[in-house]
Amino acid sequence: MAMEALRMPARNTNLSRISIIGSGGMAAAIGGLAAWAGHTVEVMSRNPDNAKALADKIGDGASTGTFGATPAGDIVILAVPYAVVLDVVKIYGGALAGRLIVDITNPVASDRKSFVTPKDSFGAQEIASAAPADAHVVKAFNTHFSHVLAAGSIEGRPLDVFIAGDDAQAKAQVSAFVEGLGLRPMDIGPLAMARTLEHACLLSLGLIAHSIRHTNFAIGVNLPG
């Protein structure tokens, strides 16, 4: 993977096993960054051929796992559309018990102005309710487009990855993972704040429709000084 010179810190020494459920653009972006950083990557997909193709693309020893089986990773990334993510979590069932689950989904409705979740809930909460009680769900990566995330930076500045979750240790682990990818983790609070991150997706869609009219941008924080 081509990396900009400004994004080339020393390789991460706090390495993890990462299981990615999904084989689309976000799975490729996160998997590619993770492999570059030295993590062991496992790809799992309903379609084994897609999983193998992505593992081969990622390289660096990336492997495939059986869809629905216990993930090998310390961190499990749900890189599937929200439309199917609850079914996926239910299929894995007890295989996700005690796991750190990273939710990157956005439950946006087809009108791109609203959500498919119940009005008193939000995507990450629905996932947490479907997952085993002792799993730890952390929201992250949902505010980026896959091709922007794959690059890791814009004009030499690392992307901000906003993180929400209820378990401090789980958030710290995800933050360390994000930082090791050459990105900047930004903790925004408990899992309830994931609702705000999902609204940020609507913000991006509104910008595309009315102002920017392309997807070559990222939402981040500018800290003066």
Side-chain angles (χ1 to χ4, degrees), residues 22-219:
S23 56
M26 287 297 287
I30 297 172
L33 289 171
W36 164 81
H39 297 285
T40 301
V41 178
E42 175 188 49
V43 181
M44 311 174 86
S45 172
R46 289 180 189 268
N47 187 319
D49 291 337
N50 289 348
K52 184 179 186 308
L54 180 54
D56 290 344
K57 178 181 178 181
I58 292 171
D60 288 328
S63 63
T64 61
T66 301
F67 184 80
T70 301
D74 306 303
I75 297 175
V76 179
I77 299 174
L78 297 175
V80 296
Y82 184 80
V84 301
V85 73
L86 298 181
D87 286 340
V88 168
V89 171
K90 291 173 184 177
I91 288 170
Y92 275 83
L96 296 177
R99 297 306 178 100
L100 197 174
I101 301 171
V102 177
D103 165 31
I104 73 169
T105 66
N106 286 301
V108 177
S110 58
D111 63 5
R112 297 194 168 194
K113 298 177 182 178
S114 60
F115 298 106
V116 298
T117 48
K119 290 187 177 181
D120 61 348
S121 188
F122 53 97
Q125 180 60 58
E126 293 296 300
I127 289 171
S129 296
D134 60 349
H136 301 296
V137 176
V138 175
K139 190 82 170 186
F141 295 106
N142 76 298
T143 61
H144 292 298
F145 301 104
S146 60
H147 63 285
V148 176
L149 181 60
S153 66
I154 289 183
E155 295 182 345
R157 301 173 66 177
L159 300 177
D160 289 332
V161 176
F162 301 106
I163 298 169
D166 290 334
D167 186 87
Q169 184 175 352
K171 282 199 295 185
Q173 189 173 348
V174 174
S175 292
F177 171 64
V178 167
E179 190 168 17
L181 303 184
L183 312 175
R184 185 168 68 163
M186 300 290 282
D187 185 347
I188 70 163
L191 191 65
M193 288 297 290
R195 184 195 297 268
T196 301
L197 294 182
E198 292 166 10
H199 276 272
C201 178
L202 293 187
L203 172 62
S204 291
L205 293 174
L207 289 170
I208 293 168
H210 302 288
S211 300
I212 300 176
R213 301 190 186 283
H214 61 73
T215 60
N216 294 320
F217 69 92
I219 295 175

Side-chain angles (χ1 to χ4, degrees), residues 16-29:
S16 300
R17 295 171 297 173
I18 310 300
S19 290
I20 301 175
I21 302 175
S23 56
M26 287 297 287

